[in-house]
Amino acid sequence: MSLLNETHDPALRSWVASANHADTDFPIQNLPFAIFRRKGGSERFRGGVAIGDQIVDLAAVAAAGVFDGPAAAAVQAAAQEKLNALMALGQPAWSALRLALSRALREGAAGQPRLQACLVPQAAAQYEVPARIGDYTDFYTSVHHATNIGRLFRPDNPLLPNYKWVPIGYHGRASSIGVSGQAFRRPLGQSMPPGAAQPAFGPCKRLDIELELGVFIGPGNAQGEPVDIARAEEHVFGICLLNDWSARDIQAWEYQPLGPFLSKSFATTISPWIVTLEALAPYRVPFQRPAEDPQPLPYLDSAANREGGALDIQLQVDLRTARMREAAQAPATICRTSYRHAYWTVAQMVAHHTVNGCNLQPGDLFGSGTLSGPTLDQAGALIELTAGGKQPLALPGGEQRTFLEDGDSVVIRGWCEKPGAARIGFGSCEGTVLPALPTPQR
Amino acid sequence: MSLLNETHDPALRSWVASANHADTDFPIQNLPFAIFRRKGGSERFRGGVAIGDQIVDLAAVAAAGVFDGPAAAAVQAAAQEKLNALMALGQPAWSALRLALSRALREGAAGQPRLQACLVPQAAAQYEVPARIGDYTDFYTSVHHATNIGRLFRPDNPLLPNYKWVPIGYHGRASSIGVSGQAFRRPLGQSMPPGAAQPAFGPCKRLDIELELGVFIGPGNAQGEPVDIARAEEHVFGICLLNDWSARDIQAWEYQPLGPFLSKSFATTISPWIVTLEALAPYRVPFQRPAEDPQPLPYLDSAANREGGALDIQLQVDLRTARMREAAQAPATICRTSYRHAYWTVAQMVAHHTVNGCNLQPGDLFGSGTLSGPTLDQAGALIELTAGGKQPLALPGGEQRTFLEDGDSVVIRGWCEKPGAARIGFGSCEGTVLPALPTPQR
């Protein structure tokens, strides 16, 4: 069964002219969801779908009664202040809304005048975290990242024996997740300087990024009822960009034996736009595990997962320093990679997370873990790119970086492209480091 | 400044006769909060306060307009389906409501007839998790537990060097937290049997308990704004009982390097009743750290914390097997200890959690970590009580246990008592192990 349908046809064009530009992230084949409102007012937030440089205001679409049937029910759910209700509806409802929007936005569509009245320019919009995130789980799905960082934290034991069997994950902090544009203070905390007799307290000195994707959960499962891998993707609404900011010095001192805590919980930034699994269907690729590696246990294995469980999403990290910003200089690209290198798929994450009976809920978020690729220039964290801070990155304009400095902004971008399919993108996920608070002298 | 006021007077008696029994958990000096409704109906859930064997229905109190001023605002907030709004109001509002309830429930109170109409017998009630728990954080505050369990997981390195400096904690799973009475299936998962070449998959074989207290957060803090330890307790609503069920075989295989995940996320059980910090004021004790230990860093230290930051809460764990239940036999007490042995206080948990700028929100829950005391019979987990499963516990009736078997129920109780103060209790926190699902054969 093909996962492709008329909404993926690369020949489709929209009457929204900007959606037909070759380099747009948001052609008619994409149709990602966000929560937005017009900037500078007191409008309530509601769901929107990106088309070119515009947003289809789903509250306006719902109020105007543009659609009927399952698409109307879906657009009512999407008109709320968070996308949880839409996420809970499930794949048939999402598909119905996607098809209705695709048909209404096509060149020559009869519904053009009614939908035109529902457009808001993206340039006039502000965004919010798109769901009430009940629980946030961060995985560790890049074997390259696990090996690179393991070598720094445990030189004699980089890749632990469980890695190729267990999709390692841990619970993250939901309250401090913000949307692109988030600025946060450099965290204060404890670290143990090399050779010191007691820990130091003060601003983090090794502030890092983690290039990740975020996976939003759709319908949940009842407590005690695992999700079979064959049905795992029915529980996935879509994918966004995610930066898991990390305080490496705090992490090294605190993480044993219960894992990272304050080194991560100060901020996590996600993109406003969630690209649905359906939009990503043309970019499915086989999930290839090296023949010499153990094959997944049965609960983590399925033919569909092997044949098309991975996604070829191109990823890029740009760094813009304060000096670059002042000089109106282009940011420096510090990493390029693809999600196809991940060792565990989205379906495997869902099947593993629920195998013990843990209940997922609509709006839950998974992080993929840092998506470092096989070579070091494909690494998704500064700690890898700079060999633990020993080899600074040279930046244009004579600057260099080991870890982040105050005023640095990091921008993650993601997109999919290949011959025979429409290019689709994720927009961007940007965050900025503010100076730390003064260290208290009490 | 004394933290005691007229509501703590041990001579107070209530016109609710059952509140004056010597052994009640809920005398007029306690007044803990829960979310409840009458069993077997379709009433909505709302806040209630325990008095003897009755519940003061706060939605009924609000509707009847019994109180005025700040107590009326607090009771309106407490009438909702979860306690988050009451938690957000803060200490002055909680105190006003406590004082108003204390006065109205006293023998001879003028308000008796109006309040009497708002009582629901506890025997007729069912409970729910009392707050929407945005984030759940589990700490590790017993040095005895950390040492005991560290010895089992890392014989040569039981207590890690960070333990006495860092109040170790990690993010837990909020969605699977249930209220007393919760029954859950034994989890399925991966483990690595000793000497095996590859992991096994199936029902957990080493299912354990963790005796903990839960701390509900009141008003939150803004992201980027740490809470000073001197004001930390203003952010704490109250304390409940908590059982952090743990699958030790799954935990041992999965926990490195990011900490426990599926070994904990299948279920966590809390008591319905939350005892406020104000009710616990008579049971504050000095927080004593051995002189040879490092003293806390300044952000974790205050005079008030040293003088009265610890709480002397007595704790007991009872085990009722299926056979005991069938024989209508009393459960076996397997552990007795006190929260006073914890190495880190509630105020230190709040100050540490927020020092990096992490934002707490009303209704967030902290677990204390397993509250094992200094001697092995005070250990709060079977893995400690049975020396890692090597020394079974003998139970009355000829049974024995290393880890939990299907049909076992575990009941945690907590109370405070001392001469010159009213005895107050936490009620109970009970959970039952159901058989695992069949292991899938795909």
Side-chain angles (χ1 to χ4, degrees), chain A residues 25-40:
Chain A
D25 274 355
F26 306 124
I28 192 169
Q29 294 84 357
N30 193 351
L31 305 177
F33 289 85
I35 287 291
F36 82 103
R37 69 176 180 188
R38 280 187 188 80
K39 270 183 238 178

Side-chain angles (χ1 to χ4, degrees), chain A residues 73-155:
Chain A
V75 88
Q76 285 288 351
Q80 299 186 18
E81 297 202 351
K82 293 287 182 186
L83 292 176
N84 297 66
L86 176 67
M87 291 166 167
L89 286 180
Q91 179 63 49
W94 311 330
S95 278
L97 179 53
R98 174 179 169 87
L99 181 60
L101 283 167
S102 173
R103 288 179 176 169
L105 288 165
R106 287 178 202 170
E107 277 183 348
Q112 174 173 351
R114 296 178 77 193
L115 221 54
Q116 191 123 34
C118 301
L119 295 185
V120 174
Q122 286 167 27
Q126 66 180 119
Y127 301 94
E128 261 203 350
V129 172
R132 282 184 310 280
I133 300 170
D135 280 288
Y136 162 47
T137 301
D138 201 16
F139 283 88
Y140 197 55
T141 67
S142 162
V143 69
H144 310 295
H145 171 69
T147 305
N148 292 341
I149 204 159
R151 193 173 288 124
L152 296 166
F153 280 67
R154 297 173 303 276

Side-chain angles (χ1 to χ4, degrees), chain B residues 157-359:
Chain B
N157 196 17
L159 194 68
L160 293 168
N162 56 11
Y163 187 86
K164 292 183 176 179
W165 296 98
V166 180
I168 296 288
Y170 71 109
H171 310 292
R173 180 80 193 176
S175 72
S176 53
I177 298 173
V179 79
S180 184
Q182 185 176 33
F184 61 88
R185 288 191 176 132
R186 177 181 296 274
L188 301 174
Q190 287 191 43
S191 60
M192 181 60 96
Q198 69 169 66
F201 179 81
C204 165
K205 291 182 177 154
R206 290 161 70 91
L207 186 59
D208 202 352
I209 59 168
E210 292 198 340
L211 163 63
E212 303 197 16
L213 289 171
V215 178
F216 273 102
I217 296 300
N221 61 303
Q223 198 165 352
E225 302 284 352
V227 175
D228 191 286
I229 189 167
R231 310 201 63 171
E233 289 187 356
E234 296 172 21
H235 296 265
V236 175
F237 178 71
I239 294 183
C240 66
L241 307 170
L242 187 150
N243 189 343
D244 178 25
W245 308 93
S246 298
R248 299 298 180 196
D249 43 355
I250 297 171
Q251 185 178 353
W253 174 232
E254 75 169 1
Y255 91 105
Q256 284 197 334
L258 300 183
F261 177 43
L262 299 190
S263 53
K264 306 277 195 169
S265 63
F266 54 94
T268 303
T269 310
I270 60 175
S271 62
W273 295 108
I274 308 173
V275 177
T276 61
L277 271 198
E278 187 172 357
L280 291 164
Y283 296 97
R284 290 178 173 276
V285 289
F287 167 63
Q288 291 166 322
R289 182 168 272 207
E292 66 272 22
D293 279 9
Q295 293 309 297
L297 291 176
Y299 81 94
L300 295 171
D301 192 25
S302 78
N305 191 57
R306 268 174 268 131
E307 286 157 21
L311 292 163
D312 190 18
I313 300 172
Q314 310 300 315
L315 296 162
Q316 174 174 318
V317 182
D318 290 355
L319 173 64
R320 183 188 286 114
T321 68
R323 202 197 290 177
M324 292 174 185
R325 197 179 301 110
E326 284 155 21
Q329 197 183 321
T333 296
I334 59 174
C335 159
R336 277 213 179 177
T337 186
S338 163
Y339 184 42
R340 68 181 302 157
H341 302 303
Y343 199 81
W344 298 101
T345 65
V346 171
Q348 287 171 324
M349 287 192 261
V350 171
H352 184 65
H353 204 314
T354 60
V355 73
N356 68 343
C358 180
N359 52 323

